[in-house]
Amino acid sequence: MIEVVVADREAVAEDVVALTLRRAAGGPLPPWEPGAHIDLRLADGLVRQYSLCGDPADTESWRVAVLREPDGRGGSAQVHERLRPGVRLTSEGPRNHFQLAASPSYLFLAGGIGITPILPMVAAADAAGADWRLEYGGRSTASMAFRTELARYGDRVRIRPQDTTGLLDLDGLLGTPLPDTLVYCCGPEPLLAAVEERCARWPQGALRVERFTPKPVDEAEEDEGFEVELARSGLTLKVPAGRSILETVEAAGVTALSSCREGTCGTCETEILGGVPDHRDAVLTEEERAGGEFMMICVSRAHSSRLLLDL
């Protein structure tokens, strides 16, 4: 955990502010790569995750951009109302569960504030000489951040405001799998779900998504209790229906790292030593889920009667 200070604040779109953060004590910040996010500890005990959208080569500052969510849980309101240059707060990370893998070709899809993790990815792909393009959708032109920065890429970037051009043409973009192409997508849940549906016909692993909100769970499936055996603590605990593994181990006095508690940040990632997990997070890829090596204990459960965890 490090203390940072807001060094600059800029309105980059309607209801979107970008903050430049520096280490309060001076000096370099921890390094990061495209796709990474940090945790910011706000007032009233709130912890929120924000994608880094600046230049990884800039070791002296981080940049995040935050959309004000009128119906949110208070984090974005704090950022917009309280965080001004000179304000200090603590941060953790960076962490990265949305890494940019090497590829000769990329298709980037961004919706609204989902442009934030995509922005440094575009810069990295361009610097690497890859073949890439970005389709960027939003409610209106005024609501879409970083349009000026993206203009330098010319026709590789298409700005698609919904009020004038309609929704992104996902059938046209994804209807036919493109060879040697990775698809990176970030944005609201309807966009992610639609992209996942269309990419089901693409090669396994071609699609990478990042969610800012929990992945929807089939509510028709009732939770059942199960046991967790904690290898390092020597405890076996009953996880009842309606209670998470994280809450159960914390109640038993076992320390486990956590932040979002909704399966989106990856902080509580825990190694699985035995058993079959029921993955409900929005972090792991399908390949990682199939591998069964790690799980997010804040939301995921078990398909087997017992899990053996490295806790």
Side-chain angles (χ1 to χ4, degrees):
M1 187 180 300
I2 61 173
E3 187 178 28
V4 296
V5 61
V6 179
D8 187 45
R9 171 190 170 107
E10 178 187 5
V12 291
E14 190 176 83
D15 293 326
V16 180
V17 295
L19 303 178
T20 299
L21 307 172
R22 296 185 182 276
R23 187 185 286 270
L29 289 161
W32 61 281
E33 296 180 349
H37 70 265
I38 57 172
D39 296 356
L40 287 183
R41 295 188 172 272
L42 307 172
D44 305 322
L46 295 181
V47 180
R48 295 292 183 266
Q49 291 74 43
Y50 298 112
S51 297
L52 292 168
C53 58
D55 181 0
D58 180 1
T59 61
E60 300 292 326
S61 67
W62 287 335
R63 182 175 68 170
V64 298
V66 182
L67 169 68
R68 184 176 188 126
E69 298 275 8
D71 300 321
R73 297 170 298 155
S76 68
Q78 278 202 34
V79 170
H80 279 251
E81 295 169 9
R82 302 184 187 182
L83 297 191
R84 298 285 189 273
V87 172
R88 297 189 177 207
L89 62 164
T90 56
S91 172
E92 294 184 55
R95 300 186 183 88
N96 198 340
H97 291 275
F98 194 43
Q99 294 96 337
L100 182 67
S103 177
S105 179
Y106 300 94
L107 173 59
F108 298 108
L109 303 172
I113 198 62
I115 190 62
T116 51
I118 299 296
L119 196 63
M121 289 185 174
V122 162
D126 196 65
D131 180 23
W132 66 271
R133 58 179 168 147
L134 165 63
E135 296 280 331
Y136 177 18
R139 291 181 292 102
S140 64
T141 302
S143 72
M144 301 172 71
F146 305 120
R147 300 187 312 280
T148 302
E149 288 188 32
L150 290 168
R152 66 189 177 100
Y153 298 115
D155 60 6
R156 284 181 180 264
V157 176
R158 289 211 306 173
I159 306 294
R160 309 294 288 175
Q162 184 179 344
D163 61 351
T164 58
T165 65
L167 297 173
L168 295 181
D169 178 16
L170 298 182
D171 289 328
L173 293 166
L174 302 170
T176 302
L178 301 174
D180 301 318
T181 299
L182 294 181
V183 180
Y184 279 81
C185 181
C186 185
E189 182 57 36
L191 171 64
L192 299 181
V195 169
E196 287 176 328
E197 179 184 355
R198 287 159 177 80
C199 282
R201 298 180 294 275
W202 284 56
Q204 187 176 29
L207 174 63
R208 318 290 173 91
V209 303
E210 180 165 70
R211 285 177 160 85
F212 293 143
T213 57
K215 188 172 184 177
V217 176
D218 184 0
E219 296 182 359
E221 182 180 349
E222 293 187 8
D223 286 344
E224 294 184 359
F226 57 95
E227 291 184 338
V228 288
E229 182 180 350
L230 310 184
R232 284 187 280 128
S233 304
L235 297 174
T236 298
L237 307 173
K238 178 72 174 179
V239 181
R243 193 176 199 186
S244 70
I245 299 174
L246 176 61
E247 291 168 333
T248 301
V249 300
E250 287 179 333
V254 176
T255 300
L257 294 177
S258 67
S259 181
C260 74
R261 294 179 175 261
E262 58 183 19
T264 59
C265 75
T267 305
C268 68
E269 183 176 76
T270 300
E271 185 177 1
I272 303 165
L273 304 177
V276 181
D278 175 9
H279 293 293
R280 301 187 181 186
D281 64 277
V283 177
L284 297 175
T285 65
E286 291 304 317
E287 292 80 8
E288 290 169 333
R289 291 181 176 211
E293 296 183 16
F294 298 93
M295 69 185 300
M296 305 303 153
I297 61 173
C298 66
V299 292
S300 297
R301 301 187 67 78
H303 284 307
S304 54
S305 60
R306 176 180 287 199
L307 292 175
L308 177 61
L309 302 179
D310 185 27
L311 285 172

